[in-house]
Short mmCIF file of all heavy atoms in Angstrom, two decimals:
data_model
loop_
_atom_site.label_atom_id
_atom_site.label_comp_id
_atom_site.label_asym_id
_atom_site.label_seq_id
_atom_site.Cartn_x
_atom_site.Cartn_y
_atom_site.Cartn_z
N SER A 269 92.86 98.69 117.26
CA SER A 269 93.26 97.35 116.81
C SER A 269 93.54 96.42 118.01
O SER A 269 93.43 95.21 117.89
CB SER A 269 94.50 97.42 115.91
OG SER A 269 95.64 97.91 116.63
N PHE A 270 93.88 96.99 119.16
CA PHE A 270 94.13 96.18 120.35
C PHE A 270 92.84 95.96 121.16
O PHE A 270 92.67 94.93 121.77
CB PHE A 270 95.16 96.84 121.26
CG PHE A 270 96.52 96.94 120.66
CD1 PHE A 270 96.99 98.14 120.13
CD2 PHE A 270 97.33 95.82 120.58
CE1 PHE A 270 98.24 98.22 119.56
CE2 PHE A 270 98.59 95.91 120.01
CZ PHE A 270 99.06 97.10 119.50
N PHE A 271 91.96 96.94 121.12
CA PHE A 271 90.77 96.86 121.97
C PHE A 271 89.49 96.59 121.20
O PHE A 271 88.41 96.69 121.72
CB PHE A 271 90.61 98.17 122.77
CG PHE A 271 91.75 98.43 123.72
CD1 PHE A 271 92.80 99.29 123.33
CD2 PHE A 271 91.79 97.82 124.95
CE1 PHE A 271 93.83 99.51 124.21
CE2 PHE A 271 92.82 98.05 125.82
CZ PHE A 271 93.86 98.91 125.45
N GLY A 272 89.62 96.28 119.91
CA GLY A 272 88.47 95.86 119.13
C GLY A 272 87.56 96.95 118.69
O GLY A 272 86.39 96.72 118.44
N GLY A 273 88.04 98.18 118.58
CA GLY A 273 87.19 99.29 118.13
C GLY A 273 87.91 100.09 117.08
O GLY A 273 89.03 99.83 116.71
N GLY A 274 87.23 101.13 116.61
CA GLY A 274 87.84 102.06 115.67
C GLY A 274 87.70 101.72 114.24
O GLY A 274 88.31 102.38 113.38
N ARG A 275 86.90 100.67 113.86
CA ARG A 275 86.75 100.35 112.46
C ARG A 275 86.12 101.51 111.67
O ARG A 275 86.49 101.78 110.54
CB ARG A 275 85.88 99.11 112.30
CG ARG A 275 86.53 97.80 112.69
CD ARG A 275 85.64 96.64 112.35
NE ARG A 275 86.27 95.37 112.61
CZ ARG A 275 85.71 94.21 112.30
NH1 ARG A 275 84.53 94.18 111.72
NH2 ARG A 275 86.33 93.07 112.60
N GLY A 276 85.12 102.16 112.26
CA GLY A 276 84.44 103.23 111.57
C GLY A 276 85.28 104.43 111.25
O GLY A 276 84.92 105.28 110.44
N LEU A 277 86.46 104.54 111.91
CA LEU A 277 87.33 105.68 111.64
C LEU A 277 87.87 105.66 110.22
O LEU A 277 88.30 106.71 109.73
CB LEU A 277 88.49 105.67 112.65
CG LEU A 277 88.13 105.84 114.12
CD1 LEU A 277 89.39 105.72 114.98
CD2 LEU A 277 87.48 107.21 114.36
N ALA A 278 87.89 104.49 109.60
CA ALA A 278 88.35 104.42 108.21
C ALA A 278 87.52 105.26 107.29
O ALA A 278 88.04 105.86 106.31
CB ALA A 278 88.36 102.98 107.75
N TRP A 279 86.22 105.36 107.55
CA TRP A 279 85.34 106.15 106.69
C TRP A 279 85.63 107.64 106.81
O TRP A 279 85.34 108.42 105.88
CB TRP A 279 83.88 105.87 107.02
CG TRP A 279 83.47 104.48 106.78
CD1 TRP A 279 83.31 103.47 107.69
CD2 TRP A 279 83.21 103.88 105.50
NE1 TRP A 279 82.96 102.30 107.09
CE2 TRP A 279 82.87 102.50 105.74
CE3 TRP A 279 83.18 104.36 104.20
CZ2 TRP A 279 82.55 101.63 104.71
CZ3 TRP A 279 82.86 103.49 103.18
CH2 TRP A 279 82.56 102.14 103.43
N LEU A 280 86.17 108.05 107.91
CA LEU A 280 86.55 109.47 108.09
C LEU A 280 87.98 109.72 107.61
O LEU A 280 88.27 110.77 107.03
CB LEU A 280 86.42 109.86 109.57
CG LEU A 280 86.72 111.32 109.95
CD1 LEU A 280 85.81 112.26 109.17
CD2 LEU A 280 86.56 111.50 111.43
N ALA A 281 88.86 108.75 107.82
CA ALA A 281 90.26 108.94 107.46
C ALA A 281 90.49 108.89 105.95
O ALA A 281 91.35 109.60 105.41
CB ALA A 281 91.15 107.90 108.15
N THR A 282 89.71 108.06 105.22
CA THR A 282 89.96 107.88 103.79
C THR A 282 89.75 109.18 103.02
O THR A 282 90.64 109.59 102.25
CB THR A 282 89.05 106.76 103.25
OG1 THR A 282 89.34 105.52 103.92
CG2 THR A 282 89.27 106.59 101.77
N PRO A 283 88.61 109.88 103.13
CA PRO A 283 88.48 111.13 102.38
C PRO A 283 89.49 112.19 102.83
O PRO A 283 89.98 112.96 102.00
CB PRO A 283 87.03 111.57 102.68
CG PRO A 283 86.64 110.84 103.90
CD PRO A 283 87.36 109.55 103.88
N LEU A 284 89.80 112.21 104.14
CA LEU A 284 90.79 113.16 104.61
C LEU A 284 92.17 112.87 103.99
O LEU A 284 92.95 113.79 103.65
CB LEU A 284 90.89 113.16 106.14
CG LEU A 284 89.89 114.03 106.89
CD1 LEU A 284 90.06 113.85 108.39
CD2 LEU A 284 90.05 115.48 106.50
N ALA A 285 92.50 111.58 103.86
CA ALA A 285 93.76 111.20 103.25
C ALA A 285 93.81 111.66 101.81
O ALA A 285 94.84 112.12 101.31
CB ALA A 285 93.99 109.71 103.36
N LEU A 286 92.68 111.50 101.08
CA LEU A 286 92.63 111.96 99.69
C LEU A 286 92.81 113.46 99.59
O LEU A 286 93.51 113.98 98.71
CB LEU A 286 91.30 111.53 99.06
CG LEU A 286 91.09 110.02 98.92
CD1 LEU A 286 89.70 109.74 98.36
CD2 LEU A 286 92.15 109.42 98.05
N VAL A 287 92.19 114.21 100.56
CA VAL A 287 92.38 115.64 100.59
C VAL A 287 93.84 116.01 100.86
O VAL A 287 94.41 116.92 100.25
CB VAL A 287 91.46 116.28 101.64
CG1 VAL A 287 91.78 117.74 101.85
CG2 VAL A 287 90.01 116.11 101.24
N GLY A 288 94.48 115.27 101.80
CA GLY A 288 95.87 115.52 102.08
C GLY A 288 96.78 115.23 100.91
O GLY A 288 97.70 116.01 100.61
N ILE A 289 96.48 114.15 100.16
CA ILE A 289 97.26 113.87 98.95
C ILE A 289 97.13 114.96 97.92
O ILE A 289 98.09 115.45 97.34
CB ILE A 289 96.84 112.52 98.37
CG1 ILE A 289 97.24 111.34 99.32
CG2 ILE A 289 97.48 112.27 97.02
CD1 ILE A 289 96.72 110.00 98.89
N ALA A 290 95.86 115.40 97.69
CA ALA A 290 95.65 116.43 96.72
C ALA A 290 96.32 117.76 97.11
O ALA A 290 96.95 118.45 96.30
CB ALA A 290 94.14 116.70 96.54
N ALA A 291 96.27 118.07 98.44
CA ALA A 291 96.89 119.30 98.88
C ALA A 291 98.41 119.26 98.82
O ALA A 291 99.06 120.28 98.64
CB ALA A 291 96.44 119.58 100.33
N SER A 292 99.00 118.05 99.00
CA SER A 292 100.43 117.95 98.94
C SER A 292 100.95 117.89 97.52
O SER A 292 102.09 118.27 97.24
CB SER A 292 100.91 116.70 99.71
OG SER A 292 100.36 115.52 99.11
#
Side-chain angles (χ1 to χ4, degrees):
S269 65
F270 295 102
F271 297 97
R275 288 187 176 185
L277 297 176
W279 296 103
L280 182 58
T282 300
L284 275 177
L286 296 176
V287 171
I289 293 174
S292 61

